[in-house]
Amino acid sequence: MVASWPEPIVSVQTLSQAGISTVPNRYVKPVHQRPVYNSDQSGLDMEVPVLDMRDVWRKPEGLRRVRNACEEWGFFQVVNHGVDHALMESVRGAWREFFDLPVEVKRKYANSPDTYEGYGSRVGVVKDAKLDWSDYFFLNYLPSSIRNPSKWPSQPPKIRELIEEYGEEVRKLCERLVETLSESLGLEPNHLMKAFGGEDKVGANLRANFYPKCPQPHLTLGLSSHSDPGGITIVLPDEKVAGLQVRRGDCWVTVKSVPNALIVNIGDQVQILSNGIYKSVEHQVVVNSGMDRVSLALFYNPRSDIPIGPVKALLTKDRPALYKPIRFDEYRLLIRQKGPSGKNQVDSLLTST
C-alpha cells in the first residue's frame, strides 16, 4: 500500500458548511454514474425484504425466507435482532456529535491509505478520481489484537464505550446470522464459520458515515456503486433520512428504513463461498440538499490470511466452482487501491469455465 493520498484531503462537511452553491468538479460523477430515482419506473414500488429474526430462528420456514432474500436481493432488514434499541440510538447520536466537532479536532484522527483507520473523506488512491460526497471514520474492531486505541475518538464523552458495547452486540448477531446463512444453504450450522476461519479468528471493521447536505445532489453520490468485499455487513441506518439504494435489475431501490431495524447485506466472500447461490448486490448512497445523514456499518469478514473459495459441499457436476480462491487480505486491496467499482472485484475471480 501507499502511505499518502494522491491529492490533499478536503472535508466534504466543510465544503457543505461553507454554503457553496455548486458541487466542485472533482465530485461530479459521469452522466452514467449519477443518481437514478426511478420516478417513472417500477422500482419505486419494490421494497427490500424485512425479516423478523424471532421467526427466522424458528426453522424451517424462516430459513426459506432468508434464502429467498439472499438469492433475490442480497439485502434484507431485520427486526427483533437482539441489539438493544436504546444502544442503537445512543451510538448513532454519538457519531453525529463527533462529526459536528470542529474539523481541526477530527483531523487529529486523519487516516492514510496504508490502513484506512481513522477519519477520512476518500477511498482509493487513483489520482484525479471522481470522489464521493461523504466523510467517514473507519476503525479496526476484530480481532481485538488489531485495535489501535490512539485511533479511537475520545470525543464526545463515552463514544469509546458505546463503540465497544455496540460492536459486541452486533458481533453476536453476526455469529448467529452466519450460522443461519449456513443452514439456509443446507450446510451444517458451523460450516460457514469454519470457512471464515473460526469465530475467534474473524475480522470486523466499523465505519461511521457522514453524508453532508449537497447543493446539487443529482450530480454526485454519497457512496459510489459497489458490492461489499467482506462476509456480511450490518448497517445501522439514519431513520430520519433515506439514502441507501440497492440495485434490482435495471432499477435502484431506495431502502425505506423500518423503526429499530438493522440492514443486512451479503458480501463478496459469501457470494464466493456459496458459489454464486447468494449474491453480493451493488448498492450506493444518494445525498440530498436539505439534511445531513449519518449511518454506521459493521463489516464482518473472514480471517484475512486463508484462501476463500467455493464450499466443496455446494459444488456439483452441473455447477462447478465459479470462483478462484483468494485470501481476503489480497482481495481487500482491490477496493482500497481503486475505490468502489461495482461488481468488478468479485467478477475478476470468475473461472474461465
Side-chain angles (χ1 to χ4, degrees):
M1 288 294 294
V2 295
S4 60
W5 301 107
E7 298 105 359
I9 294 296
V10 176
S11 162
V12 179
Q13 186 177 6
T14 300
L15 292 176
S16 176
Q17 291 173 338
I20 60 174
S21 58
T22 58
V23 172
N25 187 60
R26 67 189 311 199
Y27 300 95
V28 176
K29 302 294 183 181
V31 173
H32 69 282
Q33 293 179 4
R34 292 177 188 174
V36 176
Y37 296 98
N38 295 320
S39 59
D40 57 352
Q41 299 182 40
S42 60
L44 189 67
D45 301 320
M46 295 187 288
E47 293 188 18
V48 169
V50 179
L51 304 180
D52 186 326
M53 296 312 293
R54 290 182 304 192
D55 295 336
V56 166
W57 291 323
R58 295 180 192 131
K59 307 165 277 195
E61 177 58 32
L63 293 179
R64 285 195 290 270
R65 293 176 184 168
V66 170
R67 182 166 182 135
N68 288 340
C70 293
E71 287 181 339
E72 297 178 14
W73 284 88
F75 269 78
F76 52 94
Q77 297 193 67
V78 294
V79 296
N80 295 315
H81 41 64
V83 181
D84 184 77
H85 297 166
L87 175 60
M88 291 162 56
E89 185 73 24
S90 294
V91 73
R92 185 169 44 209
W95 278 112
R96 183 173 285 279
E97 287 185 53
F98 172 82
F99 285 111
D100 283 341
L101 292 171
V103 67
E104 57 269 19
V105 175
K106 293 179 288 191
R107 281 184 175 150
K108 293 178 182 177
Y109 303 97
N111 69 353
S112 66
D114 58 348
T115 67
Y116 276 78
E117 190 166 21
Y119 173 69
S121 296
R122 71 176 291 169
V123 177
V125 291
V126 176
K127 187 173 175 60
D128 298 323
K130 293 295 184 181
L131 303 181
D132 291 333
W133 191 262
S134 62
D135 298 332
Y136 66 86
F137 202 110
F138 186 86
L139 284 177
N140 293 322
Y141 188 74
L142 290 176
S144 57
S145 59
I146 67 169
R147 296 179 192 174
N148 182 354
S150 67
K151 282 291 187 181
W152 288 44
S154 58
Q155 296 182 54
K158 295 187 177 181
I159 189 170
R160 293 187 178 188
E161 291 88 344
L162 287 169
I163 293 170
E164 177 73 35
E165 188 177 351
Y166 176 78
E168 180 63 15
E169 291 205 11
V170 176
R171 178 191 65 79
K172 293 176 182 176
L173 173 61
C174 287
E175 289 177 359
R176 293 199 72 181
L177 283 170
V178 171
E179 181 178 290
T180 300
L181 293 178
S182 193
E183 290 183 284
S184 70
L185 285 164
L187 304 169
E188 290 296 316
N190 63 352
H191 200 124
L192 284 185
M193 185 60 79
K194 285 183 177 179
F196 271 39
E199 61 187 38
D200 59 334
K201 300 292 185 180
V202 297
N205 309 106
L206 195 70
R207 175 174 159 138
N209 306 295
F210 186 83
Y211 304 102
K213 291 181 288 188
C214 179
Q216 296 174 300
H218 59 289
L219 296 181
T220 189
L221 287 166
L223 187 58
S224 295
S225 172
H226 67 289
S227 60
D228 288 351
I232 58 173
T233 304
I234 310 294
V235 177
L236 174 62
D238 190 319
E239 290 191 343
K240 298 178 181 178
V241 188
L244 176 62
Q245 291 189 327
V246 177
R247 181 181 284 280
R248 177 74 164 165
D250 294 329
C251 296
W252 286 101
V253 179
T254 300
V255 178
K256 300 174 183 177
S257 180
V258 173
N260 299 317
L262 294 167
I263 301 168
V264 180
N265 69 276
I266 299 301
D268 293 346
Q269 304 306 302
V270 168
Q271 177 169 325
I272 292 168
L273 285 164
S274 72
N275 203 36
I277 296 172
Y278 288 173
K279 305 295 191 298
S280 59
V281 172
E282 283 182 74
H283 51 287
Q284 63 185 21
V285 176
V286 297
V287 292
N288 67 79
S289 60
M291 298 183 73
D292 300 328
R293 182 172 177 271
V294 174
S295 69
L296 193 63
L298 186 137
F299 306 100
Y300 193 76
N301 303 322
R303 178 176 165 178
S304 64
D305 60 350
I306 58 174
I308 300 295
V311 172
K312 290 182 179 179
L314 298 176
L315 305 183
T316 66
K317 181 179 179 180
D318 296 330
R319 194 181 180 87
L322 299 178
Y323 303 97
K324 295 172 287 187
I326 188 173
R327 296 199 319 267
F328 182 58
D329 54 6
E330 291 181 70
Y331 187 84
R332 182 165 47 190
L333 283 179
L334 297 174
I335 193 169
R336 288 190 171 183
Q337 290 170 344
K338 298 180 180 179
S341 55
K343 294 280 290 184
N344 290 342
Q345 292 97 321
V346 70
D347 287 348
S348 71
L349 299 182
L350 285 167
T351 61
S352 57
T353 56

